[in-house]
Amino acid sequence: MSGGIGAEEIYSAIKESARLVDAPFSRDKVWPVLSAFEGGFSDAGGVIFSLQAGEQVAEFEYSVQISPGIADPYAHALANGFFTERDDRPVRALLSEILALAPTSEHYIDCGIVGGFKKIYANFPHDAQKVAKLAEIPSMPRAVGENAEFFARYGLQDVALVGVDCKSKTINLYFQLSAPLAGNLAPQTVRDMLRETGMSEPSDKMLAYAGKAYRVYATLGWDSSEILRISFAPLPRRTIDLAELPARLEPRIAQFMQDTPHKYAGALINATAAKWSKTSEFLDLASYYRVSPLHLKAIEAQK
């Protein structure tokens, strides 16, 4: 494919990066997904590697932009046997209905080197979607509309990205914070959000770090009106000072945040997110192998 990158290149980068953190790795888990979606890879597309901070890395994930080469990523994943339609019918309907409401050619897939194919993302880089409109989609979990008042109260109105987990049957709504709020959430505001949604009690360091978020994302499902997880993500940036992170990193994970291979000029770009579930808090860490020109422009604009 002209202008595209090969599955073998991405595979090699995943393998090298996973070995930095001693993550379990098997070609049989990774190669089938990459080879199936190779027609959608582009030199201008993003590729991101991520994991959770901790003593051991049980899963190492990779997200790859697959547009515009593959117009219907769900159908493509289904055709390649990554899940069955019988188990995921609400997911297929939801993705189709989202794209009918807000067409976009920018999609990502999210996979684990252990868990395989997991999620499909529809990104709206130029036209954020409103919660009220998304809640009207027939196959959207009722939890979106049932939490609309909560979202509005905390300024969570503009959805820049929707992620659909094809296996766990959950969705993520990625809210873009307004300029006055982005990077300036008060600790008490974050604490109130966590308490209202029944999340675990935050540590002081994680609470303060969450206040730097430029996006907040919520995980919801079809079986409950509750928000299952809530996350706070600062803007990705180059050369993160690891001492500023709200968790001590094991040496190999620190190396992942500093030495992951990348295919763009300048220092490595990293992303982080403070996350809470009903039972625990955790820190997600990511390194960009490739970055799209549009995303790079947004990152560089913060200088």
Side-chain angles (χ1 to χ4, degrees):
M1 173 179 167
S2 177
I5 56 175
E8 193 65 56
E9 178 193 323
I10 299 177
Y11 172 85
S12 296
I14 293 170
K15 183 177 182 180
E16 179 181 351
S17 301
R19 283 182 171 174
L20 284 176
V21 295
D22 296 327
F25 186 86
S26 168
R27 183 179 176 90
D28 292 342
K29 289 284 189 177
V30 177
W31 182 250
V33 176
L34 295 179
S35 60
F37 280 91
E38 186 170 24
F41 301 154
S42 165
D43 286 335
V47 181
I48 307 166
F49 305 145
S50 59
L51 48 78
Q52 283 184 14
E55 293 185 2
Q56 293 184 332
V57 177
E59 179 66 288
F60 182 101
E61 296 187 336
Y62 57 97
S63 300
V64 186
Q65 188 172 344
I66 54 159
S67 52
I70 295 174
D72 188 339
Y74 180 93
H76 199 77
L78 184 67
N80 281 276
F82 298 131
F83 47 82
T84 64
E85 187 174 31
R86 180 173 57 84
D87 293 335
D88 294 275
R89 195 172 300 277
V91 173
R92 179 166 199 173
L94 176 60
L95 286 166
S96 298
E97 291 165 5
I98 288 173
L99 296 179
L101 170 71
T104 181
S105 62
E106 189 163 314
H107 298 99
Y108 291 78
I109 57 171
D110 186 73
C111 313
I113 65 173
V114 174
F117 189 95
K118 295 181 179 181
K119 299 177 185 176
I120 298 171
Y121 297 94
N123 191 32
F124 308 103
H126 304 293
D127 189 18
Q129 302 303 302
K130 299 297 183 182
V131 172
K133 281 293 185 183
L134 291 175
E136 292 174 357
I137 293 175
S139 295
M140 185 68 69
R142 293 197 310 269
V144 174
E146 290 169 352
N147 287 284
E149 183 180 343
F150 169 83
F151 295 142
R153 191 161 60 254
Y154 289 102
L156 307 180
Q157 296 281 7
D158 295 327
V159 179
L161 183 71
V162 179
V164 183
D165 192 314
C166 301
K167 291 189 174 178
S168 73
K169 294 188 179 181
T170 58
I171 68 163
N172 286 338
L173 300 182
Y174 292 75
F175 296 97
Q176 183 72 46
L177 295 178
S178 63
L181 289 178
N184 296 297
L185 287 175
Q188 188 58 49
T189 299
V190 177
R191 187 182 295 277
D192 289 346
M193 293 172 71
L194 296 175
R195 285 182 174 173
E196 191 168 342
T197 53
M199 301 300 158
S200 60
E201 188 68 18
S203 64
D204 290 341
K205 285 185 177 181
M206 285 281 277
L207 192 67
Y209 195 75
K212 301 178 182 181
Y214 89 115
R215 280 185 178 173
V216 174
Y217 47 105
T219 303
L220 309 102
W222 279 269
D223 299 328
S224 169
S225 62
E226 293 185 335
I227 294 175
L228 304 176
R229 291 186 299 278
I230 191 163
S231 308
F232 300 80
L235 192 69
R237 59 198 186 277
R238 297 182 189 266
T239 318
I240 286 180
D241 183 354
L242 301 185
E244 294 180 357
L245 298 179
R248 177 185 171 275
L249 302 188
E250 293 294 318
R252 64 189 184 282
I253 296 180
Q255 186 179 12
F256 166 79
M257 294 291 283
Q258 296 170 324
D259 298 332
T260 300
H262 60 283
K263 291 287 187 177
Y264 45 85
L268 180 65
I269 297 170
N270 297 116
T272 59
K275 295 188 171 186
W276 281 269
S277 69
K278 305 292 184 182
T279 59
S280 62
E281 66 177 15
F282 43 96
L283 182 67
D284 268 10
L285 305 169
S287 292
Y288 282 66
Y289 174 66
R290 287 183 175 268
V291 60
S292 71
L294 184 65
H295 200 174
L296 181 60
K297 183 178 179 180
I299 292 170
E300 296 298 305
Q302 65 182 312
K303 290 183 177 178

